[in-house]
Structure formats: C-alpha cells, structure tokens
Amino acid sequence: MPILVTGGFGFIGSAVLRRLLTTTDEVVVNVDRMTYAASPESLGTWLRHPRHI
C-alpha cells in the first residue's frame, strides 16, 4: 500500500518525502495544495523519482 504525504512540497514535507524514498521501498504519494509555501524545487531530483507520485 502506498504511503501518503500531505504537504510534500513544503519544508518539512519534502524532508519527510525524501527520507521515505531513501529508507523504504514503498510508493510515496505526495498531496499538496500548492500554496505560497509550496515549492516543487524543494524536492530537487527526487521530484522525478519512479516511486514518487
């Protein structure tokens, strides 16, 4: 079952998302409202990771 991360483009959410992708083999689903605090650049190359949706 995939892991759901809310706010994955924020400061803390992106750190959690990167950690999950490096320490688990699970698919990580990122849900974010894309407000002023959201930044896809916070994930860097992890944005295109095959287990990141």
Side-chain angles (χ1 to χ4, degrees), residues 23-41:
T23 60
T24 71
D25 292 328
E26 301 296 326
V27 171
V28 181
V29 178
N30 181 6
V31 179
D32 200 304
R33 280 187 66 189
M34 299 302 293
T35 63
Y36 70 94
S39 174
E41 293 82 27

Side-chain angles (χ1 to χ4, degrees):
M1 180 165 227
I3 299 172
L4 177 66
V5 175
T6 57
F9 288 135
F11 179 72
I12 295 172
S14 64
V16 170
L17 197 141
R18 289 189 305 269
R19 177 71 173 218
L20 287 169
L21 288 171
T22 58
T23 60
T24 71
D25 292 328
E26 301 296 326
V27 171
V28 181
V29 178
N30 181 6
V31 179
D32 200 304
R33 280 187 66 189
M34 299 302 293
T35 63
Y36 70 94
S39 174
E41 293 82 27
S42 63
L43 289 180
T45 59
W46 293 99
L47 185 61
R48 291 177 183 72
H49 192 281
R51 289 186 291 114
H52 173 240
I53 298 173

